[in-house]
Amino acid sequence: MAKQHGKKYQAAAAKVEADRLYTPEEAAALVKETSFTNFDATVEVHLRLGIDPRHADQTVRSTASLPHGTGKNVRVLVFAQGDTENVARNAGAEIVGGDELIQRIEKENFIDFDVAVATPDMMGKVGRLGRILGRRGLMPNPKSGTVVPPNDLPQAIKALQGGRVEFRNDKTGLLHVAIGKVSFSADQIRENLLVLLDAIKAAKPSGSKGVYIRSITLTSTMGPGIPIDVNVAQATA
């Protein structure tokens, strides 16, 4: 049965011209105009990639540091021990600990945080949390910049709280990334989008052949999708 949309959605969708591909500038302005929620909606970008996610050499996974952040207060958890715990706390991490924190996650299924960071010496212990953290995308990983030496913790925590986002394709070859809030200016949304696209292009896997980025859609929470001209976006990024 076809999904029935409400009047507010239909009115917003009517502002998106059928069969038109928008420039990043146009899409950034229109995503604000078509948001109709009574809260500060999240702006997301969805990309269809020319990859076969069944093959390991075609996985797309990396990070991007958005110049204007995501508009979200990021709760950072750090697995550390000894003096490194104080380093993490002083750097602004909201949750810090070693063995007791690992046990809390195991026993209580505690996941009240947005990103987890670990020092290399803790990964042997943190590894057993894979069943809990892995399926939620919270497991520390060197590829996502969340396994870092103690001396690099302050910089890593600042980056995560300031707007660094991790992206990874899903099992259908799609990417879904939050890049800001509707309260951002159109220029801020556009700039975040272009920085993300640049990072995605840089993360192109060696096994990907043919057209890499096949479609780009910008949307807000509950709002209609706005298709972006891939060629124009890539030339601008």
Side-chain angles (χ1 to χ4, degrees), residues 120-144:
D121 62 307
M122 290 296 296
M123 284 306 293
K125 298 178 179 180
V126 175
R128 68 177 192 252
L129 298 177
R131 179 179 56 83
I132 300 172
L133 302 183
R135 62 189 179 190
R136 296 177 173 86
L138 294 173
M139 191 69 181
N141 188 296
K143 292 183 178 180
S144 63

Side-chain angles (χ1 to χ4, degrees), residues 51-60 203-209:
I51 60 173
D52 187 341
R54 296 173 298 178
H55 300 290
D57 67 345
Q58 295 191 43
T59 296
V60 176
K204 180 179 179 180
S206 58
S208 175
K209 307 298 180 184

Side-chain angles (χ1 to χ4, degrees), residues 77-82 85 97-106 117-133 139-140 147:
L77 175 147
V78 177
F79 294 106
Q81 57 188 357
E85 292 189 43
D99 293 337
E100 292 183 359
L101 180 56
I102 291 173
Q103 291 174 8
R104 180 184 179 189
I105 293 173
E106 283 183 314
V117 178
T119 53
D121 62 307
M122 290 296 296
M123 284 306 293
K125 298 178 179 180
V126 175
R128 68 177 192 252
L129 298 177
R131 179 179 56 83
I132 300 172
L133 302 183
M139 191 69 181
V147 177

Side-chain angles (χ1 to χ4, degrees), residues 122-204:
M122 290 296 296
M123 284 306 293
K125 298 178 179 180
V126 175
R128 68 177 192 252
L129 298 177
R131 179 179 56 83
I132 300 172
L133 302 183
R135 62 189 179 190
R136 296 177 173 86
L138 294 173
M139 191 69 181
N141 188 296
K143 292 183 178 180
S144 63
T146 49
V147 177
V148 296
N151 291 340
D152 294 339
L153 272 177
Q155 182 179 356
I157 293 170
K158 182 179 179 180
L160 289 167
Q161 293 176 330
R164 190 175 77 183
V165 295
E166 179 183 359
F167 56 86
R168 182 177 185 177
N169 64 270
D170 64 17
K171 62 182 180 181
T172 65
L174 300 177
L175 278 179
H176 314 277
V177 189
I179 61 168
K181 295 287 187 177
V182 168
S183 59
F184 284 19
S185 70
D187 283 342
Q188 288 175 321
I189 294 171
R190 177 184 58 83
E191 289 169 10
N192 276 358
L193 169 64
L194 296 180
V195 167
L196 174 66
L197 291 180
D198 194 48
I200 292 171
K201 289 196 297 182
K204 180 179 179 180

Side-chain angles (χ1 to χ4, degrees), residues 37-75:
T37 62
N38 57 7
F39 57 87
D40 192 7
T42 297
V43 176
E44 298 178 347
V45 60
H46 304 273
L47 299 97
R48 184 165 63 90
L49 303 178
I51 60 173
D52 187 341
R54 296 173 298 178
H55 300 290
D57 67 345
Q58 295 191 43
T59 296
V60 176
R61 182 175 188 178
S62 188
T63 62
S65 295
L66 304 182
H68 304 291
T70 63
K72 179 180 179 181
N73 179 30
V74 179
R75 289 173 55 84

